[in-house]
Coordinates of all heavy atoms in Angstrom, one line a residue:
M1205 N 13.2 12.0 -5.1 CA 12.4 12.6 -6.2 C 11.0 11.9 -6.4 O 10.0 12.5 -6.5 CB 13.1 12.5 -7.5 CG 14.5 13.3 -7.5 SD 14.3 15.0 -7.1 CE 14.2 15.7 -8.7
A1206 N 11.1 10.6 -6.3 CA 9.8 9.8 -6.5 C 8.8 10.1 -5.4 O 7.6 10.2 -5.6 CB 10.1 8.3 -6.5
E1207 N 9.4 10.3 -4.2 CA 8.5 10.6 -3.1 C 7.7 11.9 -3.3 O 6.6 12.1 -3.0 CB 9.3 10.7 -1.8 CG 9.6 9.3 -1.3 CD 10.3 9.3 0.1 OE1 10.2 10.4 0.7 OE2 10.9 8.4 0.5
E1208 N 8.4 12.9 -3.8 CA 7.8 14.2 -4.0 C 6.6 14.0 -5.0 O 5.5 14.6 -4.8 CB 8.8 15.2 -4.6 CG 9.7 15.7 -3.5 CD 10.6 16.8 -4.0 OE1 10.3 17.4 -5.1 OE2 11.6 17.0 -3.3
E1209 N 6.8 13.3 -6.0 CA 5.7 13.1 -7.0 C 4.5 12.4 -6.3 O 3.4 12.8 -6.6 CB 6.2 12.1 -8.1 CG 7.1 12.9 -9.1 CD 7.5 12.0 -10.2 OE1 6.7 11.1 -10.6 OE2 8.7 12.2 -10.7
L1210 N 4.8 11.5 -5.5 CA 3.7 10.8 -4.8 C 2.9 11.8 -3.9 O 1.7 11.8 -3.9 CB 4.2 9.7 -3.9 CG 4.5 8.4 -4.6 CD1 5.1 7.4 -3.6 CD2 3.3 7.9 -5.2
E1211 N 3.6 12.7 -3.3 CA 2.9 13.7 -2.4 C 2.0 14.6 -3.3 O 0.9 14.9 -2.9 CB 3.9 14.5 -1.6 CG 4.5 13.7 -0.5 CD 5.5 14.5 0.3 OE1 5.5 15.7 0.0 OE2 6.2 13.9 1.1
V1212 N 2.5 15.0 -4.4 CA 1.7 15.9 -5.3 C 0.5 15.1 -5.7 O -0.6 15.7 -5.7 CB 2.5 16.3 -6.5 CG1 1.7 17.0 -7.5 CG2 3.7 17.2 -6.0
E1213 N 0.6 13.9 -6.1 CA -0.6 13.1 -6.5 C -1.6 13.1 -5.4 O -2.8 13.3 -5.6 CB -0.2 11.7 -6.9 CG 0.3 11.6 -8.3 CD 0.5 10.1 -8.7 OE1 0.1 9.3 -7.9 OE2 1.2 9.9 -9.7
E1214 N -1.2 12.9 -4.2 CA -2.1 12.8 -3.1 C -2.9 14.1 -2.9 O -4.1 14.1 -2.8 CB -1.3 12.6 -1.8 CG -2.0 11.6 -0.8 CD -1.1 11.3 0.3 OE1 -0.9 12.2 1.1 OE2 -0.6 10.2 0.4
E1215 N -2.2 15.2 -3.0 CA -2.9 16.5 -2.9 C -4.0 16.7 -4.0 O -5.1 17.1 -3.8 CB -1.9 17.6 -2.9 CG -1.2 17.7 -1.6 CD -0.1 18.8 -1.6 OE1 -0.1 19.6 -2.5 OE2 0.7 18.8 -0.7
T1216 N -3.6 16.3 -5.2 CA -4.5 16.5 -6.3 C -5.8 15.6 -6.1 O -6.9 16.0 -6.3 CB -3.8 16.0 -7.6 OG1 -2.6 16.7 -7.8 CG2 -4.7 16.3 -8.8
E1217 N -5.5 14.4 -5.6 CA -6.7 13.5 -5.4 C -7.6 14.1 -4.3 O -8.8 14.1 -4.5 CB -6.1 12.2 -4.9 CG -7.0 11.0 -5.1 CD -6.4 9.7 -4.6 OE1 -5.2 9.7 -4.5 OE2 -7.2 8.8 -4.3
A1218 N -7.0 14.7 -3.3 CA -7.9 15.3 -2.3 C -8.7 16.5 -2.8 O -9.8 16.6 -2.5 CB -7.0 15.8 -1.2
E1219 N -8.2 17.2 -3.8 CA -9.0 18.3 -4.3 C -10.1 17.8 -5.2 O -11.2 18.3 -5.1 CB -8.0 19.1 -5.2 CG -7.2 20.1 -4.4 CD -6.3 21.0 -5.3 OE1 -6.6 21.1 -6.5 OE2 -5.4 21.6 -4.7
E1220 N -9.9 16.7 -5.9 CA -10.9 16.2 -6.7 C -12.1 15.6 -5.9 O -13.2 15.7 -6.3 CB -10.4 15.1 -7.6 CG -9.5 15.7 -8.7 CD -8.9 14.6 -9.5 OE1 -9.0 13.4 -9.1 OE2 -8.3 14.9 -10.6
A1221 N -11.8 15.1 -4.7 CA -12.8 14.5 -3.9 C -13.4 15.5 -2.9 O -13.4 15.3 -1.7 CB -12.2 13.3 -3.2
E1222 N -13.8 16.6 -3.4 CA -14.2 17.6 -2.5 C -15.6 17.3 -1.8 O -15.9 17.9 -0.8 CB -14.4 18.9 -3.3 CG -13.1 19.7 -3.3 CD -13.3 21.1 -4.1 OE1 -14.3 21.2 -4.8 OE2 -12.5 21.9 -3.8
E1223 N -16.3 16.4 -2.4 CA -17.6 16.1 -1.8 C -17.5 15.4 -0.4 O -18.3 15.5 0.4 CB -18.4 15.2 -2.8 CG -18.8 16.0 -4.0 CD -19.6 15.1 -4.9 OE1 -19.9 14.0 -4.5 OE2 -19.9 15.6 -6.1
K1224 N -16.4 14.7 -0.3 CA -16.2 14.0 1.0 C -15.9 15.1 2.1 O -15.4 16.1 1.8 CB -15.0 13.0 0.9 CG -15.4 11.8 0.0 CD -14.2 10.9 0.0 CE -14.5 9.7 -1.0 NZ -13.3 8.8 -1.1
P1225 N -16.2 14.7 3.3 CA -15.8 15.6 4.4 C -14.3 15.7 4.4 O -13.6 14.7 4.6 CB -16.3 14.9 5.6 CG -16.6 13.5 5.2 CD -16.9 13.6 3.7
V1226 N -13.8 16.9 4.4 CA -12.4 17.1 4.2 C -11.7 17.3 5.6 O -10.5 17.5 5.7 CB -12.1 18.4 3.4 CG1 -10.7 18.4 2.9 CG2 -13.1 18.4 2.2
K1227 N -12.5 17.3 6.6 CA -12.0 17.6 7.9 C -10.7 16.8 8.3 O -9.8 17.3 8.8 CB -13.0 17.4 9.0 CG -14.0 18.6 9.0 CD -15.1 18.4 10.1 CE -16.1 19.5 10.0 NZ -17.2 19.3 11.0
E1228 N -10.8 15.5 8.1 CA -9.7 14.7 8.5 C -8.5 14.8 7.6 O -7.4 14.4 7.9 CB -10.1 13.2 8.5 CG -11.0 12.9 9.7 CD -11.3 11.4 9.8 OE1 -10.4 10.6 9.5 OE2 -12.4 11.0 10.2
K1229 N -8.7 15.4 6.4 CA -7.6 15.5 5.5 C -7.0 16.9 5.5 O -6.6 17.4 4.5 CB -8.0 15.1 4.1 CG -8.0 13.7 3.8 CD -7.8 13.4 2.3 CE -7.5 12.0 2.1 NZ -7.2 11.7 0.6
K1230 N -6.9 17.4 6.6 CA -6.2 18.7 6.7 C -4.8 18.6 6.2 O -4.2 17.5 6.3 CB -6.2 19.2 8.2 CG -7.5 19.9 8.6 CD -7.4 20.4 10.0 CE -8.7 21.0 10.5 NZ -8.6 21.4 11.9
A1231 N -4.2 19.7 5.8 CA -2.9 19.7 5.3 C -1.9 19.2 6.4 O -1.9 19.9 7.5 CB -2.5 21.0 4.8
K1232 N -1.2 18.2 6.2 CA -0.3 17.7 7.2 C 0.9 18.7 7.4 O 1.4 19.1 6.3 CB 0.2 16.3 6.9 CG -0.9 15.3 6.8 CD -0.3 14.0 6.3 CE -1.4 13.0 6.0 NZ -0.9 11.8 5.4
P1233 N 1.3 19.0 8.6 CA 2.5 19.8 8.7 C 3.7 19.0 8.3 O 4.0 18.0 9.0 CB 2.5 20.1 10.2 CG 1.6 19.1 10.9 CD 0.6 18.6 9.8
K1234 N 4.3 19.4 7.3 CA 5.5 18.7 6.8 C 6.8 19.3 7.2 O 7.8 18.9 6.7 CB 5.4 18.6 5.3 CG 4.2 17.7 4.8 CD 4.1 17.7 3.3 CE 2.9 17.0 2.9 NZ 2.7 17.0 1.4
A1235 N 6.7 20.3 8.0 CA 7.9 21.1 8.2 C 8.8 20.5 9.2 O 10.0 20.8 9.4 CB 7.5 22.5 8.7
E1236 N 8.3 19.5 10.0 CA 9.1 18.9 11.0 C 10.0 17.7 10.6 O 10.6 17.0 11.5 CB 8.2 18.5 12.2 CG 7.5 19.7 12.8 CD 6.8 19.2 14.1 OE1 7.3 18.3 14.7 OE2 5.8 19.9 14.4
K1237 N 10.2 17.5 9.4 CA 10.9 16.4 8.9 C 12.4 16.5 9.2 O 13.1 15.5 9.3 CB 10.7 16.2 7.4 CG 9.5 15.3 7.1 CD 9.5 15.0 5.7 CE 8.3 14.1 5.4 NZ 8.2 13.7 3.9
K1238 N 12.9 17.7 9.3 CA 14.3 17.8 9.4 C 14.9 17.6 10.8 O 16.1 17.7 11.0 CB 14.7 19.3 9.0 CG 14.6 19.4 7.5 CD 15.2 20.8 7.1 CE 15.1 20.9 5.5 NZ 15.6 22.2 5.1
K1239 N 14.0 17.3 11.7 CA 14.5 17.2 13.1 C 15.2 15.9 13.5 O 15.7 15.8 14.6 CB 13.3 17.4 14.1 CG 13.1 18.9 14.4 CD 12.2 19.0 15.6 CE 12.2 20.5 16.1 NZ 11.3 20.6 17.2
R1240 N 15.0 14.9 12.7 CA 15.5 13.6 13.1 C 17.0 13.4 12.9 O 17.7 14.2 12.2 CB 14.8 12.5 12.3 CG 15.0 12.7 10.8 CD 14.3 11.5 10.1 NE 13.8 12.0 8.8 CZ 13.3 11.1 7.9 NH1 13.3 9.9 8.2 NH2 12.8 11.6 6.8
K1241 N 17.6 12.5 13.6 CA 19.0 12.1 13.5 C 19.9 13.2 13.9 O 20.8 13.6 13.2 CB 19.3 11.7 12.0 CG 18.7 10.3 11.7 CD 19.3 9.7 10.5 CE 18.7 8.3 10.3 NZ 19.2 7.7 9.1
E1242 N 19.6 13.8 15.0 CA 20.6 14.7 15.6 C 21.5 14.0 16.6 O 21.2 13.9 17.7 CB 19.8 15.8 16.3 CG 19.1 16.8 15.4 CD 20.0 17.9 15.0 OE1 21.0 18.1 15.6 OE2 19.6 18.7 14.1
K1243 N 22.5 13.4 16.1 CA 23.3 12.6 16.9 C 24.5 13.4 17.4 O 24.4 14.6 17.6 CB 23.8 11.3 16.2 CG 22.7 10.2 16.3 CD 23.3 8.9 16.0 CE 22.3 7.8 16.3 NZ 22.8 6.5 16.0
G1244 N 25.6 12.7 17.6 CA 26.8 13.5 18.0 C 26.7 13.7 19.5 O 26.3 12.8 20.3
M1245 N 27.1 14.8 20.0 CA 27.1 15.1 21.4 C 25.8 15.0 22.1 O 25.7 14.7 23.2 CB 27.7 16.6 21.6 CG 29.1 16.7 21.2 SD 30.2 15.7 22.2 CE 30.1 16.6 23.8
F1246 N 24.7 15.2 21.4 CA 23.4 15.2 22.0 C 23.1 13.8 22.6 O 22.4 13.7 23.5 CB 22.4 15.6 21.0 CG 22.5 17.0 20.5 CD1 23.0 17.3 19.3 CD2 22.2 18.0 21.4 CE1 23.2 18.6 18.9 CE2 22.4 19.4 21.0 CZ 22.9 19.6 19.7
S1247 N 23.6 12.8 22.0 CA 23.3 11.4 22.5 C 24.0 11.1 23.8 O 23.7 10.1 24.4 CB 23.7 10.4 21.4 OG 25.1 10.5 21.2
Y1248 N 24.9 12.0 24.2 CA 25.6 11.8 25.5 C 24.8 12.4 26.6 O 25.2 12.2 27.8 CB 27.0 12.3 25.4 CG 27.9 11.6 24.5 CD1 28.2 12.1 23.2 CD2 28.4 10.3 24.8 CE1 29.0 11.4 22.3 CE2 29.2 9.7 23.9 CZ 29.5 10.2 22.7 OH 30.3 9.5 21.8
Y1249 N 23.8 13.1 26.3 CA 23.1 13.8 27.4 C 21.6 13.3 27.4 O 21.1 13.0 26.4 CB 23.1 15.3 27.2 CG 24.5 15.9 27.5 CD1 25.3 16.1 26.4 CD2 24.9 16.1 28.8 CE1 26.6 16.7 26.6 CE2 26.2 16.7 29.0 CZ 27.0 16.9 27.9 OH 28.2 17.5 28.1
K1250 N 21.1 13.4 28.6 CA 19.6 13.1 28.7 C 19.0 14.3 29.3 O 19.4 14.7 30.4 CB 19.4 11.8 29.5 CG 18.0 11.5 29.7 CD 17.9 10.3 30.6 CE 16.4 9.9 30.8 NZ 16.3 8.8 31.8
V1251 N 18.0 14.8 28.7 CA 17.3 16.0 29.3 C 16.4 15.5 30.5 O 15.5 14.8 30.2 CB 16.5 16.7 28.3 CG1 15.8 17.9 28.9 CG2 17.4 17.2 27.2
D1252 N 16.7 16.0 31.6 CA 15.9 15.6 32.8 C 15.1 16.8 33.3 O 15.7 17.9 33.4 CB 16.9 15.1 33.9 CG 16.1 14.4 35.0 OD1 15.0 14.9 35.4 OD2 16.5 13.3 35.4
G1253 N 13.9 16.6 33.5 CA 13.0 17.7 33.9 C 13.5 18.4 35.2 O 13.4 19.6 35.3
K1254 N 13.9 17.6 36.1 CA 14.3 18.2 37.4 C 15.7 18.8 37.4 O 15.9 19.9 37.8 CB 14.2 17.1 38.5 CG 12.8 16.7 38.8 CD 12.8 15.5 39.8 CE 11.3 15.0 40.0 NZ 11.3 13.8 40.9
E1255 N 16.6 18.0 36.9 CA 18.0 18.4 37.1 C 18.6 19.0 35.8 O 19.7 19.3 35.8 CB 18.8 17.2 37.5 CG 18.4 16.7 38.8 CD 19.2 15.4 39.2 OE1 20.3 15.3 38.6 OE2 18.8 14.7 40.1
G1256 N 17.8 19.2 34.8 CA 18.3 19.7 33.6 C 19.0 18.6 32.8 O 18.4 17.6 32.5
L1257 N 20.3 18.7 32.6 CA 21.0 17.7 31.8 C 21.6 16.7 32.7 O 22.2 17.0 33.7 CB 22.1 18.4 31.0 CG 21.6 19.2 29.8 CD1 22.8 19.9 29.1 CD2 21.0 18.3 28.8
T1258 N 21.5 15.5 32.3 CA 22.1 14.4 33.0 C 23.1 13.7 32.0 O 22.7 13.3 30.9 CB 21.1 13.3 33.4 OG1 20.1 14.0 34.2 CG2 21.7 12.2 34.2
R1259 N 24.3 13.5 32.5 CA 25.3 12.8 31.6 C 25.0 11.3 31.6 O 24.9 10.7 32.7 CB 26.7 13.1 32.1 CG 27.2 14.5 31.8 CD 28.7 14.5 31.9 NE 29.1 14.4 33.3 CZ 29.2 15.4 34.1 NH1 29.0 16.6 33.7 NH2 29.6 15.2 35.3
L1260 N 24.9 10.8 30.4 CA 24.7 9.4 30.3 C 26.0 8.6 30.4 O 26.1 7.4 30.7 CB 24.0 9.0 29.0 CG 22.5 9.6 29.0 CD1 21.9 9.3 27.6 CD2 21.7 9.0 30.1
R1261 N 27.1 9.3 30.0 CA 28.4 8.6 30.0 C 29.3 9.4 31.0 O 29.2 10.6 31.1 CB 29.0 8.7 28.6 CG 28.1 8.3 27.5 CD 28.1 6.8 27.2 NE 27.6 6.6 25.9 CZ 26.3 6.6 25.6 NH1 25.4 6.8 26.6 NH2 25.9 6.3 24.4
P1262 N 30.2 8.7 31.6 CA 31.1 9.3 32.5 C 32.3 9.9 31.7 O 32.5 9.4 30.5 CB 31.6 8.2 33.4 CG 31.5 7.0 32.6 CD 30.3 7.2 31.7
F1263 N 33.0 10.8 32.2 CA 34.2 11.3 31.6 C 35.3 10.4 31.9 O 35.3 9.7 32.9 CB 34.5 12.7 32.1 CG 33.6 13.8 31.7 CD1 33.1 14.7 32.5 CD2 33.2 13.8 30.3 CE1 32.2 15.7 32.1 CE2 32.3 14.8 29.9 CZ 31.8 15.8 30.8
C1264 N 36.3 10.4 31.0 CA 37.5 9.6 31.3 C 38.3 10.1 32.4 O 38.5 11.3 32.5 CB 38.3 9.5 30.0 SG 39.9 8.6 30.2
E1265 N 38.7 9.3 33.3 CA 39.4 9.7 34.5 C 40.8 10.2 34.1 O 41.5 10.9 34.8 CB 39.5 8.6 35.5 CG 38.1 8.3 36.1 CD 38.1 7.1 36.9 OE1 39.2 6.6 37.3 OE2 37.0 6.5 37.2
R1266 N 41.3 9.6 33.0 CA 42.7 10.0 32.6 C 42.7 11.3 31.8 O 43.5 12.2 32.0 CB 43.3 8.9 31.8 CG 43.9 7.8 32.6 CD 44.7 6.9 31.7 NE 44.8 5.5 32.2 CZ 45.3 4.5 31.5 NH1 45.7 4.7 30.2 NH2 45.4 3.3 32.0
C1267 N 41.8 11.3 30.8 CA 41.8 12.4 29.9 C 41.1 13.6 30.4 O 41.3 14.7 30.0 CB 41.1 12.0 28.6 SG 41.9 10.5 27.8
G1268 N 40.2 13.4 31.4 CA 39.5 14.5 32.0 C 38.2 14.9 31.3 O 37.8 14.2 30.4
P1269 N 37.5 15.9 31.8 CA 36.2 16.3 31.3 C 36.3 16.6 29.8 O 37.2 17.2 29.3 CB 35.9 17.6 32.1 CG 36.7 17.5 33.3 CD 38.0 16.7 32.9
G1270 N 35.3 16.2 29.1 CA 35.3 16.4 27.7 C 35.5 15.1 26.9 O 35.2 15.0 25.8
Y1271 N 36.2 14.2 27.6 CA 36.4 12.9 26.9 C 35.4 11.9 27.5 O 35.5 11.4 28.6 CB 37.8 12.4 27.2 CG 38.8 13.2 26.4 CD1 39.4 14.3 27.0 CD2 39.2 12.9 25.1 CE1 40.3 15.1 26.4 CE2 40.1 13.7 24.5 CZ 40.7 14.8 25.1 OH 41.6 15.5 24.4
F1272 N 34.4 11.6 26.7 CA 33.4 10.7 27.1 C 33.9 9.3 26.9 O 34.7 9.0 26.1 CB 32.1 10.9 26.3 CG 31.3 12.1 26.7 CD1 31.4 13.2 25.9 CD2 30.5 12.1 27.8 CE1 30.7 14.3 26.3 CE2 29.8 13.2 28.2 CZ 29.9 14.3 27.4
M1273 N 33.3 8.4 27.7 CA 33.7 7.0 27.6 C 32.5 6.2 27.0 O 31.4 6.5 27.2 CB 34.0 6.4 29.0 CG 35.1 7.2 29.7 SD 35.5 6.6 31.3 CE 36.5 5.1 30.9
A1274 N 32.9 5.3 26.2 CA 31.9 4.5 25.4 C 31.2 3.5 26.4 O 31.8 2.9 27.2 CB 32.5 3.8 24.3
D1275 N 29.9 3.4 26.2 CA 29.2 2.5 27.1 C 29.2 1.1 26.5 O 28.7 0.8 25.4 CB 27.7 3.0 27.1 CG 26.9 2.2 28.2 OD1 27.4 1.2 28.6 OD2 25.8 2.7 28.5
H1276 N 29.8 0.2 27.2 CA 29.9 -1.2 26.7 C 29.1 -2.1 27.7 O 29.4 -3.3 27.9 CB 31.3 -1.7 26.7 CG 32.1 -1.1 25.6 ND1 31.9 -1.4 24.3 CD2 33.0 -0.1 25.6 CE1 32.7 -0.7 23.5 NE2 33.4 0.1 24.3
G1277 N 28.0 -1.6 28.2 CA 27.1 -2.5 29.0 C 27.6 -2.4 30.5 O 27.1 -1.6 31.3
N1278 N 28.5 -3.3 30.8 CA 28.9 -3.3 32.2 C 30.2 -2.6 32.4 O 30.8 -2.6 33.5 CB 29.1 -4.8 32.6 CG 30.2 -5.5 31.9 OD1 30.6 -5.1 30.8 ND2 30.8 -6.5 32.4
R1279 N 30.7 -1.9 31.4 CA 31.9 -1.2 31.6 C 32.0 0.0 30.6 O 31.3 0.0 29.6 CB 33.2 -2.1 31.4 CG 33.3 -2.6 30.0 CD 34.3 -3.8 30.0 NE 33.9 -4.6 28.9 CZ 34.4 -4.4 27.6 NH1 35.1 -3.4 27.4 NH2 34.0 -5.2 26.7
Y1280 N 32.8 0.9 30.9 CA 33.0 2.1 30.0 C 34.4 2.1 29.5 O 35.4 1.7 30.2 CB 32.8 3.4 30.7 CG 31.3 3.5 31.2 CD1 31.0 3.3 32.6 CD2 30.3 3.9 30.4 CE1 29.7 3.4 33.0 CE2 29.0 4.0 30.8 CZ 28.7 3.8 32.2 OH 27.5 3.9 32.6
T1281 N 34.6 2.5 28.3 CA 35.9 2.5 27.7 C 36.2 3.9 27.1 O 35.3 4.4 26.4 CB 36.1 1.4 26.6 OG1 35.8 0.2 27.2 CG2 37.5 1.4 26.1
C1282 N 37.3 4.4 27.3 CA 37.7 5.7 26.7 C 38.2 5.4 25.3 O 39.1 4.6 25.1 CB 38.7 6.4 27.6 SG 39.3 7.9 26.8
G1283 N 37.7 6.1 24.4 CA 38.1 6.0 23.0 C 39.4 6.7 22.7 O 40.1 6.5 21.7
N1284 N 39.8 7.6 23.7 CA 41.0 8.4 23.5 C 42.2 7.6 24.0 O 43.2 7.6 23.3 CB 40.8 9.7 24.2 CG 41.9 10.7 23.8 OD1 42.2 10.9 22.6 ND2 42.6 11.2 24.8
C1285 N 42.2 7.1 25.2 CA 43.4 6.5 25.7 C 43.2 5.0 26.0 O 44.1 4.3 26.4 CB 43.8 7.2 27.1 SG 42.6 6.9 28.4
G1286 N 42.0 4.5 25.8 CA 41.8 3.1 26.0 C 41.5 2.7 27.4 O 41.4 1.5 27.7
F1287 N 41.4 3.6 28.3 CA 41.1 3.4 29.7 C 39.7 2.7 29.8 O 38.7 3.1 29.2 CB 41.2 4.7 30.5 CG 40.9 4.5 31.9 CD1 41.8 3.9 32.8 CD2 39.6 4.9 32.5 CE1 41.5 3.8 34.1 CE2 39.4 4.8 33.8 CZ 40.3 4.2 34.6
T1288 N 39.7 1.6 30.6 CA 38.4 0.9 30.8 C 38.0 1.0 32.3 O 38.8 0.8 33.2 CB 38.6 -0.5 30.5 OG1 39.0 -0.6 29.1 CG2 37.3 -1.3 30.7
R1289 N 36.8 1.4 32.5 CA 36.3 1.5 33.9 C 35.0 0.6 34.0 O 34.1 0.8 33.2 CB 36.0 2.9 34.2 CG 35.9 3.1 35.7 CD 35.5 4.6 36.0 NE 34.1 4.7 36.2 CZ 33.4 5.8 36.4 NH1 34.1 6.9 36.3 NH2 32.1 5.8 36.5
Y1290 N 35.0 -0.2 35.0 CA 33.8 -1.0 35.2 C 32.7 -0.2 35.8 O 33.0 0.7 36.7 CB 34.1 -2.2 36.0 CG 34.8 -3.3 35.2 CD1 36.2 -3.2 35.2 CD2 34.1 -4.2 34.5 CE1 36.9 -4.2 34.4 CE2 34.8 -5.1 33.8 CZ 36.2 -5.1 33.7 OH 36.9 -6.0 33.0
R1291 N 31.5 -0.4 35.4 CA 30.4 0.3 35.9 C 30.2 0.0 37.4 O 30.2 -1.1 37.8 CB 29.2 -0.1 35.1 CG 28.0 0.8 35.4 CD 26.8 0.4 34.6 NE 26.8 1.0 33.3 CZ 25.8 1.0 32.4 NH1 24.7 0.3 32.7 NH2 25.9 1.6 31.3
Q1292 N 29.9 1.1 38.1 CA 29.8 0.9 39.6 C 28.4 0.7 40.0 O 28.1 0.0 40.9 CB 30.4 2.2 40.3 CG 31.9 2.3 40.1 CD 32.4 3.6 40.6 OE1 31.6 4.5 40.9 NE2 33.7 3.7 40.6
Q1293 N 27.5 1.4 39.3 CA 26.1 1.3 39.7 C 25.3 0.5 38.7 O 25.4 0.8 37.5 CB 25.4 2.7 39.8 CG 26.1 3.6 40.8 CD 25.5 5.0 40.8 OE1 24.5 5.2 40.1 NE2 26.0 5.9 41.7
E1294 N 24.6 -0.4 39.1 CA 23.7 -1.2 38.3 C 22.4 -0.5 38.2 O 21.8 -0.2 39.3 CB 23.6 -2.6 38.7 CG 24.9 -3.4 38.6 CD 25.2 -3.8 37.2 OE1 24.2 -4.0 36.4 OE2 26.4 -3.9 36.8
E1295 N 21.9 -0.3 37.1 CA 20.5 0.3 37.0 C 19.5 -0.7 36.6 O 19.6 -1.3 35.6 CB 20.5 1.5 36.0 CG 21.2 2.7 36.6 CD 21.0 3.9 35.7 OE1 19.9 4.2 35.4 OE2 22.0 4.4 35.2
Ligands
ZN443 ZN1 40.9 8.6 28.2

């Protein structure tokens, strides 16, 4: 709530200072605020321009496709069955 009040004050101030060049103070697009923090499944994929989607995590070999393994640096662990697989490729 406090943030909204601040924004309103800013706009009022801009109107009062009409003599100044207003070009730089164009209305900021505030519509894109809702885009952040889209986690969940999206964090398991990386959008690659050439190949489309690239999986950042391997699937669990026991549980099969759909069960991602957690990245623990040099190894992956399945959160479902506890299976641990050491990373094969070093990047
Ligand atoms: Zn598993």
Side-chain angles (χ1 to χ4, degrees):
M1205 299 301 269
E1207 281 186 16
E1208 281 183 22
E1209 283 183 34
L1210 278 179
E1211 284 180 11
V1212 172
E1213 271 186 16
E1214 218 175 70
E1215 286 178 10
T1216 307
E1217 204 179 336
E1219 281 184 15
E1220 287 176 349
E1222 271 184 340
E1223 292 181 6
K1224 291 182 183 177
V1226 196
K1227 283 181 183 178
E1228 285 188 35
K1229 274 209 171 183
K1230 280 183 183 176
K1232 298 173 188 174
K1234 293 175 184 176
E1236 292 190 29
K1237 271 189 178 179
K1238 285 187 179 178
K1239 267 195 174 181
R1240 57 178 147 171
K1241 287 196 177 178
E1242 289 269 349
K1243 278 201 171 180
M1245 290 298 286
F1246 296 106
S1247 60
Y1248 292 103
Y1249 290 97
K1250 178 184 178 183
V1251 178
D1252 194 315
K1254 290 176 184 176
E1255 300 177 15
L1257 285 177
T1258 303
R1259 284 197 292 272
L1260 296 177
R1261 314 271 199 282
F1263 289 135
C1264 176
E1265 293 170 16
R1266 277 194 207 169
C1267 302
Y1271 289 91
F1272 285 102
M1273 300 180 79
D1275 189 346
H1276 288 288
N1278 64 337
R1279 62 195 156 85
Y1280 298 102
T1281 303
C1282 174
N1284 189 52
C1285 70
F1287 178 73
T1288 301
R1289 198 185 94 186
Y1290 284 90
R1291 187 178 273 192
Q1292 293 170 351
Q1293 299 177 3
E1294 293 284 330
E1295 284 189 57

